[in-house]
């Protein structure tokens, strides 16, 4: 056991350098961790989106394109996380803002799956419209990834 086990702020979802939210190595022994770490990812993505959007008004035209691409990648990730959540749990709480206090989400209700699917499609569409056709860096998202997830969501 390390000090990070089960602690989302200390990298508790990572094992041997890989993202692995289930400490029983994928056998479902702690499925609640998958749920918890998914919302941790959503929180981080919302933080990126919120703070990069604050930079847009003062950015140059070239920087705006780069910043919008960053937001596109973040929204693609948020959509991917929510897609996995609705596949596993159906209706889940939908959070698209930076949570600064537990009281903001302590009594949040589950959002109907149809509404979440609309939000996910909005995220995938934004990503499709802002990401490059082909990324110039390995591991960065591009337009075909967003298009593929849009198609996958339509079949769900």
């Amino acid at each position: 056991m390390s000090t990070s086990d089960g602690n989302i702020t200390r990298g508790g979802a990572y094992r041997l350098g890989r993202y692995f939210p289930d400490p029983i190595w994928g056998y479902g022994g702690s499925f609640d961790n998958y749920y918890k770490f998914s919302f941790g990812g959503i929180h981080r993505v919302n933080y990126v989106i919120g703070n990069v959007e604050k930079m847009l008004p003062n950015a140059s035209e070239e920087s705006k394109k780069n910043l919008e691409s960053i937001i596109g990648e973040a929204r693609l990730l948020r959509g991917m996380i929510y897609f996995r959540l609705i596949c596993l749990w159906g209706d889940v709480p939908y959070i698209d803002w930076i949570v600064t206090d537990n009281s903001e989400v302590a009594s949040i209700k589950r959002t109907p799956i149809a509404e979440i699917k609309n939000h996910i499609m909005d995220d995938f569409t934004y990503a499709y419209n802002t990401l490059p056709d082909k990324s110039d860096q390995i591991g960065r998202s591009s337009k075909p990834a967003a298009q593929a997830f849009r198609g996958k969501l339509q079949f769900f």
Side-chain angles (χ1 to χ4, degrees), residues 55-71:
M55 299 166 67
L56 282 172
N58 299 323
S60 67
E61 284 306 312
E62 185 177 326
S63 291
K64 276 186 183 183
K65 186 174 181 179
N66 186 38
L67 292 173
E68 287 172 353
S69 182
I70 291 169
I71 294 170

Side-chain angles (χ1 to χ4, degrees), residues 31-149:
F31 222 61
D32 58 329
N33 279 344
Y34 197 89
Y35 189 84
K36 175 176 59 174
F37 291 135
S38 293
F39 277 99
I42 289 167
H43 172 71
R44 287 180 174 90
V45 168
N46 288 338
Y47 186 83
V48 168
I49 293 168
N51 285 293
V52 173
E53 284 177 343
K54 290 178 187 175
M55 299 166 67
L56 282 172
N58 299 323
S60 67
E61 284 306 312
E62 185 177 326
S63 291
K64 276 186 183 183
K65 186 174 181 179
N66 186 38
L67 292 173
E68 287 172 353
S69 182
I70 291 169
I71 294 170
E73 282 190 62
R75 289 186 67 170
L76 178 65
L77 287 172
R78 181 172 65 191
M80 290 166 60
I81 295 168
Y82 269 112
F83 186 64
R84 176 56 61 102
L85 284 169
I86 65 172
C87 286
L88 293 171
W89 283 281
D91 297 350
V92 294
Y94 186 80
I95 302 167
D96 65 350
W97 68 91
I98 300 170
V99 177
T100 57
D101 188 80
N102 192 45
S103 64
E104 295 177 55
V105 293
S107 62
I108 194 169
K109 303 279 188 242
R110 294 180 349 169
T111 306
I113 196 169
E115 187 177 331
I116 295 173
K117 283 177 68 175
N118 289 337
H119 290 299
I120 294 170
M121 186 57 78
D122 290 344
D123 281 345
F124 289 162
T125 301
Y126 183 92
Y128 179 79
N129 291 331
T130 59
L131 292 174
D133 292 331
K134 184 176 181 180
S135 177
D136 57 352
Q137 296 176 337
I138 294 175
R140 301 303 294 256
S141 297
S142 58
K143 197 175 290 277
Q147 183 68 10
F149 277 104

Side-chain angles (χ1 to χ4, degrees), residues 2-15:
S2 78
T3 58
S4 68
D5 286 347
N7 186 326
I8 195 167
T9 60
R10 293 188 180 165
Y14 291 86
R15 300 282 188 268

